[in-house]
Amino acid sequence: VTDVVCGTNLETTLDSDDYLLVDGDFDTEIYLLDGSTTEKAYVAEEGRAYVVVAYDLTYTGKEATTYNQQMSIDYNDGYLYEEHPYINSDFELRGEDGTFQGQTYYDVEPLSGTYEIRSCFDVPEEVMTNTEAPLSVVIALDGQEYTYTVR
């Protein structure tokens, strides 16, 4: 895990190093062909927020396999969130062309390097604002659970 951030709007430019990082100094409106504007897709609904987890994945297995993200956010020792705000992806993988692409799984080859991944979770706004409460990222790999403590 390289970064965990909370916020209410996300950078959505696929080739940006700040992709999915929250509450940055960027425009949250899309300008439509008819001259009107609309909110970008990744602006949290009223009373909601996002938790974005950025991490690097290095596969050291000796056989090709499929990576399926099994991750959740644990807020205040027991409130678990697994809901992603995207329709067809569980995580965003930076491809060889430098842009991020939504994935539900990814085939990995042995010793194929390190993959840069970002994942987003839709949570109640309290998860972001109550900084006194514990917050963890729970990761399941090969039947084992690992916890990364954010606060």
Side-chain angles (χ1 to χ4, degrees):
V1 175
T2 58
D3 204 0
V4 178
V5 292
C6 300
T8 57
N9 56 50
L10 306 179
E11 169 60 77
T12 59
T13 305
L14 294 173
D15 61 354
S16 171
D17 287 339
D18 293 328
Y19 177 65
L20 288 190
L21 297 183
V22 294
D23 292 342
D25 184 20
F26 49 84
D27 190 1
T28 59
E29 290 185 327
I30 296 172
Y31 295 88
L32 304 175
L33 292 176
D34 65 4
S36 64
T37 62
T38 187
E39 290 290 324
K40 282 188 178 177
Y42 307 143
V43 176
E45 294 180 11
E46 185 73 29
R48 305 295 293 177
Y50 297 124
V51 175
V52 176
V53 180
Y55 61 101
D56 292 336
L57 175 69
T58 303
Y59 177 61
T60 59
K62 295 183 179 178
E63 295 179 13
T65 190
T66 299
Y67 172 68
N68 293 301
Q69 176 177 274
Q70 296 177 346
M71 183 183 296
S72 60
I73 299 299
D74 184 346
Y75 168 69
N76 209 8
D77 296 323
Y79 294 97
L80 295 176
Y81 299 95
E82 298 175 345
E83 181 80 19
H84 302 275
Y86 316 116
I87 295 171
N88 292 317
S89 67
D90 292 338
F91 60 95
E92 306 288 316
L93 174 73
R94 190 189 295 263
E96 291 180 15
D97 65 355
T99 64
F100 284 92
Q101 302 164 10
Q103 306 284 326
T104 55
Y105 68 90
Y106 190 73
D107 293 328
V108 292
E109 297 291 327
L111 303 175
S112 55
T114 298
Y115 301 93
E116 182 181 354
I117 301 174
R118 296 191 180 160
S119 190
C120 184
F121 299 86
D122 184 2
V123 300
E125 191 171 32
E126 178 181 327
V127 174
M128 175 180 71
T129 59
N130 184 4
T131 58
E132 299 299 315
L135 182 65
S136 305
V137 178
V138 180
I139 305 160
L141 290 173
D142 294 330
Q144 295 285 333
E145 254 188 26
Y146 302 92
T147 301
Y148 176 84
T149 302
V150 179
R151 60 176 190 241

